[in-house]
Amino acid sequence: MSYESERKSIETRLRDYFDSSIVPIQYENVSTLKQGTQTIKDFNKVDKFIRLTITGADAEQIDIGGTYARHTSIITLSVFTKAGKGTALARKTLDTLYSIFNRQNFDEICCRTTAMVNVGEDADGWYQVNLDTEYYTDRQDTIPVKIA
């Protein structure tokens, strides 16, 4: 599985199982929020949003003398709510998101158990809590092709 197809599969699963018309989503390296079919540029116009981050973590050979490698990574769903308003809204959103990746297998992606990580308040006035899901994909290494 390529890095690009991995990203696409994870984003598609999030879109398929989470209604962004209710809570907007920020995808990696995008400076706007996606709320349903609309784009939101001003984050202050919402009271909550989630951010998807995919972080590469490790790789190891999984067969002796073979060509297979296991790539371990982390899916992070960050939930942001306005600071100073308590944690109920953030935790309710976490409960909705939890089962999307927790111990799920899809498109050659094998997810492990999801864990909550309390990040706290940031300088912009947002309270952040993350759901981290470690996952792995197995990839067969091929001989590089020279590109002229």
Side-chain angles (χ1 to χ4, degrees):
M1 169 170 259
S2 70
Y3 293 122
E4 174 56 18
S5 60
E6 183 179 314
R7 178 204 57 80
K8 186 176 181 181
S9 291
I10 292 167
E11 287 183 2
T12 299
R13 183 165 180 89
L14 180 59
R15 273 194 299 272
D16 289 349
Y17 289 90
F18 186 75
D19 187 356
S20 69
S21 66
I22 297 170
V23 180
I25 301 172
Q26 182 184 28
Y27 293 97
E28 285 186 301
N29 200 28
V30 177
S31 62
T32 59
L33 297 172
K34 194 69 169 173
Q35 186 164 28
T37 58
Q38 305 212 359
T39 300
I40 299 172
K41 293 181 181 180
D42 184 1
F43 286 51
N44 292 316
K45 292 186 177 184
V46 298
D47 63 348
K48 62 184 175 283
F49 67 94
I50 67 169
R51 177 184 296 149
L52 171 66
T53 306
I54 304 167
T55 306
D58 196 14
E60 64 181 338
Q61 182 177 337
I62 60 172
D63 56 353
I64 297 173
T67 59
Y68 281 90
R70 176 160 292 166
H71 294 261
T72 305
S73 303
I74 300 169
I75 301 166
T76 301
L77 295 175
S78 302
V79 176
F80 294 87
T81 57
K82 296 285 185 177
K85 305 252 183 194
T87 64
L89 183 58
R91 287 175 179 268
K92 181 178 178 182
T93 306
L94 291 172
D95 287 338
T96 304
L97 293 166
Y98 181 80
S99 62
I100 295 173
F101 296 111
N102 181 55
R103 300 175 62 181
Q104 299 297 315
N105 296 311
F106 59 96
D107 301 336
E108 300 178 46
I109 294 172
C110 182
C111 295
R112 296 192 169 138
T113 303
T114 298
M116 184 184 93
V117 179
N118 191 344
V119 178
E121 188 175 337
D122 68 13
D124 295 325
W126 292 99
Y127 175 76
Q128 179 182 349
V129 182
N130 293 346
L131 286 178
D132 288 337
T133 307
E134 185 178 308
Y135 71 95
Y136 67 87
T137 59
D138 293 336
R139 180 180 308 195
Q140 185 173 18
D141 297 331
T142 57
I143 298 172
V145 178
K146 290 185 179 179
I147 299 174

